[in-house]
Amino acid sequence: MRKKLKDLCPILVNRKGPILLHNARPHVSQIIVQKLDELGYETLPRPPYSPDLSPTDYHLFNHLKNFLREKNLKTQAAAEIAFEEFIDSRTPEFCNTGIKKLVLRWQKCIESNGSYFDSITSF
């Protein structure tokens, strides 16, 4: 992995070592922790999951859910076609808007020190 990372993004390898951010809660097995430490890998702590801070959950999936509302998809192929129709119906501004809102949500989370805030009334 380190060799591949060095080829793809050498700036990350010029540090003490690569930084790993797990997409899901990382394994905390002592063997894994020791091996990562031995290799000089830094592991960022994973924050608790929050759908308000996940761009796919609060933006993309919400719009997709509304797009698919009252559609009766009986086959895998029908679901794939419907998803392609949804993607084709979105403009580049759709993603841009979602990313801008995400920045505001992250800022709100930082300002609240990670404490709960009501995203519906806040945004």
Side-chain angles (χ1 to χ4, degrees):
M1 181 176 82
R2 190 174 208 145
K3 182 182 180 327
K4 184 76 169 179
L5 186 60
K6 185 177 182 180
D7 293 341
L8 293 175
C9 196
I11 194 166
L12 293 179
V13 181
N14 291 336
R15 307 173 40 87
K16 172 185 161 205
I19 299 174
L20 301 178
L21 174 63
H22 298 276
N23 286 335
R25 179 165 165 75
H27 295 286
V28 289
S29 158
Q30 273 301 92
I31 294 170
I32 299 297
V33 171
Q34 288 172 350
K35 187 63 174 179
L36 290 174
D37 188 50
E38 175 188 316
L39 293 171
Y41 283 48
E42 180 181 351
T43 304
L44 295 178
R46 183 75 185 161
Y49 171 76
S50 172
D52 290 330
L53 300 176
S54 172
T56 52
D57 286 357
Y58 85 84
H59 188 68
L60 177 71
F61 291 155
N62 189 37
H63 287 270
L64 178 60
K65 178 180 74 174
N66 291 334
F67 180 84
L68 295 175
R69 185 169 279 136
E70 298 182 20
K71 286 187 176 22
N72 190 358
L73 307 171
K74 296 186 184 272
T75 66
Q76 175 76 26
E80 290 173 6
I81 289 168
F83 180 74
E84 287 176 11
E85 288 172 359
F86 168 75
I87 294 298
D88 290 343
S89 72
R90 303 295 111 172
T91 65
E93 187 58 31
F94 170 76
C95 294
N96 193 23
T97 299
I99 290 169
K100 287 179 181 174
K101 287 181 182 177
L102 180 61
V103 171
L104 295 174
R105 288 171 185 266
W106 284 346
Q107 188 61 43
K108 184 73 172 179
C109 182
I110 290 167
E111 290 168 0
S112 68
N113 256 353
S115 298
Y116 176 80
F117 60 90
D118 185 356
S119 63
I120 294 172
T121 59
S122 299
F123 296 97

